[in-house]
Structure formats: C-alpha cells, structure tokens
Amino acid sequence: MPIVVDIDVMLARRKMSVGELADRVGITPANLAVLKNGRAKAVRFTTLAALCEVLECQPGDLLRWETGTPAETVDSGAASAGPGS
C-alpha cells in the first residue's frame, strides 16, 4: 500500500511506549499495533485526531504517501465522484 504510517517515529521522538499511547488515545494496544505496522485498511478521523493531540503533531507527521508501491484496486462503486458522475 502506498500509504506509510510513521507512528513509531513519533513515539521515539516523544519517548513514549505503544502501551502509553494506546491508553492515552483510548484504543487497544493491539489495534494501535495494527495501525502502526501498516496493516490497517482504514483509520477513523477521531482516532487520527486523538493520536495527533496526544503526540502533539499533524496528520502528515503520522501518514505519508510513498511512490513505487502499486495502489489497491478500488471497487467500481466506491470511486464515484458524487451524484450524477
């Protein structure tokens, strides 16, 4: 997937453990590990906002797009630009 998650970088900069971040954000360490290791299919904006608040960073500090990795195929109905398209 071309989206890379850099939560581990921010954890190191803040000298914070995965367990502490999970507690402060309000998610399980297992779910945080799925996100941190790039295995998540989606992230809720509320979770992203909580991560940014706790880590005192911007979403772009946690997520980045990397070229050279093929994008996943989008279902035909999910790619619609809106009504009438």
Side-chain angles (χ1 to χ4, degrees), residues 10 13 16 19 21 29 32-33 38 41 43 47-48 51 59 61-62 64 66 75-76:
M10 292 307 296
R13 288 182 183 165
M16 188 180 298
L21 179 60
L32 182 57
K41 298 279 184 192
V43 60
T47 302
L48 183 58
L51 287 166
D61 296 324
L62 301 177
R64 63 187 161 88
E66 195 169 89
D75 291 336
S76 59

Side-chain angles (χ1 to χ4, degrees), residues 21-64:
L21 179 60
D23 285 343
R24 292 178 63 183
V25 170
I27 62 176
T28 66
N31 284 341
L32 182 57
V34 167
L35 181 59
K36 184 175 87 70
N37 295 324
R39 294 188 317 262
K41 298 279 184 192
V43 60
R44 291 183 180 179
F45 282 170
T46 54
T47 302
L48 183 58
L51 287 166
C52 290
E53 183 177 350
V54 171
L55 293 170
E56 298 177 350
C57 66
Q58 294 295 313
D61 296 324
L62 301 177
L63 304 172
R64 63 187 161 88

Side-chain angles (χ1 to χ4, degrees), residues 80-85:
S80 173
S85 59

